[in-house]
Amino acid sequence: MADDGVDIEWESARAANLANWEDRVPLHEVAYGVDGLDDSSPLSSVVRTDLLALEPFLPGGSVSALDVCHLQCHIGTDTVSLARAGARVTGVDFSSGALTSAAALARRLGVDVTWVETDVLDARAAVTGDFDLVYTSIGTITWLPDLERWAAQVAALLRRGGTFYIRDGHPALYSIDENADHLRVRYAYFGDGRAQEWNDASTYAGDGTVAHTRTYEWPHPISEIVNSLIGAGLQILRLDEHATVPWRFSPRMVEVGDDFAWPEGERRLLPCSFTIVARRPLG
């Protein structure tokens, strides 16, 4: 369980989170099944799902030949998948180990991707060019204290008329006690500037453990997420909420296709993830 709220400077929280994410790289190379991304299964399950949601909003209904920036790309399984779907892709992450792993995956598959090591909150200053699509999915923005600054990066990376897409865990899901034997609210839905402090050797994927166990996250309600994008000048085209999430948030969750959900009798009680499609206006 997390601490209910701690005051911590961003630099200190970032350093702790970075050490934890560096530890995750070799564990996630196994858990994500990077060796399984071959010609018979060219796209990750995350990207297959996201493209179905995105295609109605893209020119020609495809990412093919589009310039795409993937924020918080981790070890690149989804980034490489976007490239294999025909996009020209730039992957952004703050972990050098993750980007080394991602670059090795891209080389093995013969895929051309540009990799940029930077905080997502500084992405515009670090990334060259602008993009038809800025993409982020999944498990990303709880690691950020300042969504206004995050949304400003997204808007600045987009070309006029460009599209932004996010799929992430729903803030209502993150308020639930993951270890309770029923749906029980345990954590804050609304943020107050303080971080939730976690001390956990496991990760959301696989069975391995990390040496750097302390991490910090920030709760952001749906209203804050949407309003940060509107405040950055983007137009919200669609907001959807979903009953599944692509990792086992709680031991009580059951597999539903490639994703996980609460047991059937509880599935309609609260959302597990959300998607937003937004656009930078042409004018």
Side-chain angles (χ1 to χ4, degrees):
M1 285 192 176
D3 188 286
D4 285 337
V6 297
D7 291 309
I8 185 170
E9 294 295 326
W10 164 240
E11 291 77 10
S12 298
R14 178 196 181 277
N17 288 344
L18 177 58
N20 178 270
W21 279 94
E22 294 285 12
D23 287 350
R24 296 185 192 210
V25 170
L27 304 179
H28 287 180
E29 287 175 336
V30 175
Y32 282 32
V34 295
D35 291 338
L37 276 177
D38 53 30
D39 290 337
S40 64
S41 181
L43 304 184
S44 68
S45 61
V46 168
V47 166
R48 287 198 303 269
T49 297
D50 290 338
L51 288 182
L52 288 175
L54 253 176
E55 285 168 353
F57 302 94
L58 296 177
S62 170
V63 296
S64 181
L66 298 186
D67 293 312
V68 177
C69 184
H70 180 190
L71 299 178
Q72 294 171 273
C73 68
H74 192 34
I75 61 172
T77 51
D78 300 329
T79 324
V80 167
S81 295
L82 290 166
R84 297 182 99 185
R88 296 181 293 268
V89 188
T90 296
V92 175
D93 201 85
F94 78 149
S95 162
S96 61
L99 292 179
T100 297
S101 175
L105 174 64
R107 285 194 300 272
R108 178 170 68 81
L109 296 176
V111 175
D112 185 20
V113 177
T114 299
W115 307 103
V116 178
E117 181 183 339
T118 186
D119 286 346
V120 66
L121 298 179
D122 299 318
R124 178 61 284 180
V127 175
T128 300
D130 51 16
F131 298 89
D132 302 298
L133 172 67
V134 173
Y135 168 93
T136 184
S137 175
I138 186 171
T140 55
I141 57 176
T142 63
W143 300 99
L144 307 175
D146 186 349
L147 290 196
E148 289 186 0
R149 183 173 168 186
W150 163 77
Q153 306 305 303
V154 169
L157 287 165
L158 283 171
R159 293 174 179 149
R160 295 189 184 278
T163 302
F164 171 64
Y165 174 87
I166 180 172
R167 176 164 62 122
D168 215 328
H170 199 288
L173 178 73
Y174 292 147
S175 73
I176 297 298
D177 185 342
E178 69 276 26
N179 294 314
D181 61 3
H182 62 288
L183 292 180
R184 182 175 80 92
V185 174
R186 166 66 179 84
Y187 308 110
Y189 178 83
F190 297 102
D192 62 0
R194 294 183 299 166
Q196 295 171 329
E197 181 182 271
W198 298 83
N199 195 356
D200 186 355
S202 67
T203 82
Y204 58 85
D207 299 323
T209 58
V210 297
H212 298 89
T213 60
R214 196 173 305 278
T215 58
Y216 297 90
E217 299 180 52
W218 289 263
H220 301 293
I222 282 288
S223 57
E224 182 186 358
I225 299 166
V226 169
N227 288 332
S228 69
L229 296 169
I230 293 172
L234 302 184
Q235 297 174 338
I236 305 298
L237 303 182
R238 189 168 182 91
L239 165 64
D240 286 299
E241 298 167 289
H242 311 279
T244 62
V245 70
W247 76 93
R248 184 171 263 125
F249 170 83
S250 165
R252 293 200 308 113
M253 282 187 157
V254 298
E255 290 189 53
V256 179
D258 291 324
D259 294 334
F260 298 89
W262 296 111
E264 191 167 350
E266 299 174 350
R267 207 163 293 170
R268 296 176 62 243
L269 296 181
L270 88 162
C272 289
S273 59
F274 71 92
T275 52
I276 296 174
V277 182
R279 182 160 294 154
R280 182 178 175 187
L282 285 168

